[in-house]
Amino acid sequence: MLDYKVYLDRLVSGKAVDNPYLDFMGIRAEEFRAGYARFSMEIKPEFIQGAGIMQGGLSVSLCDETSAHAAITTLSNDEQVATIEIKNDFLSMASKGILTAEATVFKRGRTLIVVDCVVTDENSKKISRSTATFMVIKNKK
């Protein structure tokens, strides 16, 4: 059973956690509080597609991770979440710099959590917006 408080504290302080995807993508945790998470990601040259802009799915992925962690802040240690749906609106393009994703829990129910997330660039320009729904799963004892 994962102790979420310890996991989130380690993650935001830059200590190693068992989440290789965040390391692979260069996603950094910046802040957690109840129902809220903020992550950032530098746009790497490998993220640029043929038109010279970042491939859009990467901002969706950043939203998914940030939203999942906002949802995690509402869980007890005997629960976990799985993304069951994510809808994204691409609002602008990005090709360099650091993106910041801020996610806020819109509704926490017994079995579902709905989270809104906005990704901005270094000039606070909105790059994308998503709404994600997570299923709350009780861990088997």
Side-chain angles (χ1 to χ4, degrees), residues 1 14 20-21 40 50 59 77-78 87 96 107 113 118 124-125 136 139:
M1 191 169 356
Y21 183 74
S40 65
S59 70
N77 286 339
D78 68 339
K87 180 217 180 284
K96 62 182 177 180
K107 169 123 173 60
I113 302 172
V118 175
S124 299
K125 182 169 82 173
V136 178
N139 294 327

Side-chain angles (χ1 to χ4, degrees), residues 37-109:
R38 185 176 70 232
F39 281 37
S40 65
M41 176 180 78
E42 183 173 1
I43 299 174
K44 300 177 184 179
E46 299 86 0
F47 295 174
I48 304 302
Q49 43 94 319
I53 58 173
M54 184 182 78
Q55 200 280 339
L58 296 171
S59 70
V60 178
S61 179
L62 178 60
C63 278
D64 187 33
E65 279 295 318
T66 308
S67 296
H69 283 78
I72 285 171
T73 67
T74 72
L75 299 179
S76 63
N77 286 339
D78 68 339
E79 297 174 317
Q80 56 185 316
V81 291
T83 308
I84 60 171
E85 187 269 340
I86 189 165
K87 180 217 180 284
N88 190 79
D89 296 311
F90 297 107
L91 306 171
S92 190
M93 300 176 284
S95 58
K96 62 182 177 180
I98 296 174
L99 299 179
T100 300
E102 292 186 271
T104 305
V105 171
F106 175 76
K107 169 123 173 60
R108 164 64 153 117

Side-chain angles (χ1 to χ4, degrees), residues 98-102 118-128:
I98 296 174
L99 299 179
T100 300
E102 292 186 271
V118 175
V119 175
T120 56
D121 69 8
E122 293 168 306
N123 298 312
S124 299
K125 182 169 82 173
K126 291 178 174 74
I127 303 300
S128 68

Side-chain angles (χ1 to χ4, degrees), residues 21-41:
Y21 183 74
L22 296 178
D23 294 334
F24 177 74
M25 294 299 294
I27 297 172
R28 290 187 167 45
E30 294 186 353
E31 182 182 353
F32 299 111
R33 58 181 187 264
Y36 175 86
R38 185 176 70 232
F39 281 37
S40 65
M41 176 180 78

